[in-house]
Amino acid sequence: MATRQAAVTAAGTALLWAALALAAAPAAAAAPEPERACTAGTGPYQRELETQLRLPVDGTQSPADCLAVRAFQREHAVTPADGYAGLATYRTAVAVAARANPNAAGACPVRGYRVTCVDLARQLLWVQSGRRVVFAPVPIRTGRDDQETRPGMHEVYWRSKDHRSTLYDDAPMPYAQFFDQGQALHGRPGPLFEHGGSAGCVNLTVADAKRLWDLLQEGDAVYVWGVKPGTED
């Protein structure tokens, strides 16, 4: 009788431990969400992005175009990554294409010191020291028509890390580096390309503006040239 009771007790204990082990085991990983179909239509920069991404150039979105644009957006952190050929994606593609040699045309002067190069036509900024690029090209937003960013050779004359505009409704201007009569290189919180253009400043993403702040100092040269698309007289 005692032997039988012990056997029953042992069986019960084994079942209890099995139940406890099952409860403690991690839940099975959920199945990955299926990839959504890429359904974005033709965008305003369709033809340009087809050219940049070496796709068949016809100016009309195809399923293959959509997937290629979306893959590019994901690789370069363009949001939303939906395959739509919009301005932010196009400007990012221009910056990526320029990385190998942004000053191939020789438009930004080569000096024995740092020069921040602001290319209005391509809406790009990079920094070079001599012929060496020390800050790779990034997309920017410069002044709108009648408030254009002023061309020429300038220098950073004042820096204000947490600056707010005294002219435009206390608008935040993080990592502001002023180079010409109130015009500054600075970060723009939120989407970079909204509303077409700035009031003359050179806008960067906040992340890019911080990296530029960490590199430059007062007295550094800033060279601006070219004409921003849409501001031609």
Side-chain angles (χ1 to χ4, degrees):
M1 182 70 177
T3 302
R4 183 178 177 185
Q5 186 175 2
V8 171
T9 302
T13 302
L15 287 172
L16 176 61
W17 279 110
L20 290 173
L22 184 62
E33 204 172 300
E35 181 74 288
R36 292 184 181 181
C38 199
T39 58
T42 298
Y45 293 88
Q46 189 72 41
R47 188 175 294 274
E48 291 86 348
L49 277 164
E50 288 169 349
T51 301
Q52 293 277 0
L53 300 180
R54 299 182 180 180
L55 300 167
V57 180
D58 59 10
T60 302
Q61 180 87 305
S62 69
D65 291 344
C66 190
L67 290 171
V69 172
R70 184 168 70 180
F72 176 85
Q73 292 167 330
R74 288 174 174 174
E75 181 181 358
H76 298 285
V78 180
T79 55
D82 57 3
Y84 185 69
L87 178 58
T89 305
Y90 170 62
R91 290 291 178 217
T92 301
V94 171
V96 170
R99 285 178 184 170
N101 187 5
N103 201 31
C108 192
V110 175
R111 299 288 186 265
Y113 47 82
R114 278 194 303 260
V115 179
T116 297
C117 305
V118 179
D119 182 342
L120 298 178
R122 290 188 292 170
Q123 291 290 282
L124 292 180
L125 177 149
W126 69 90
V127 183
Q128 60 191 35
S129 181
R131 297 187 182 279
R132 185 169 64 95
V133 174
V134 296
F135 186 96
V138 295
I140 55 175
R141 186 186 80 151
T142 63
R144 63 179 68 92
D145 201 19
D146 296 326
Q147 290 183 297
E148 292 92 341
T149 304
R150 289 182 283 274
M153 182 65 85
H154 314 283
E155 70 173 48
V156 176
Y157 65 86
W158 182 48
R159 299 184 352 131
S160 179
K161 186 174 183 179
D162 298 308
H163 194 75
R164 302 190 76 89
S165 175
T166 58
L167 297 175
Y168 300 103
D169 302 321
D170 202 38
M173 298 169 58
Y175 305 105
Q177 304 190 75
F178 290 85
F179 62 86
D180 183 56
Q181 300 179 35
Q183 294 190 348
L185 315 166
H186 70 83
R188 183 178 192 275
L192 182 59
F193 300 104
E194 278 186 345
H195 311 305
S198 72
C201 288
V202 177
N203 296 161
L204 303 91
T205 67
V206 174
D208 287 340
K210 181 183 185 305
R211 291 193 302 114
L212 190 64
W213 172 276
D214 291 339
L215 176 65
L216 302 186
Q217 60 188 15
E218 287 186 16
D220 274 353
V222 178
Y223 184 69
V224 182
W225 78 96
V227 178
K228 179 183 179 180
T231 65
E232 300 89 348
D233 292 331

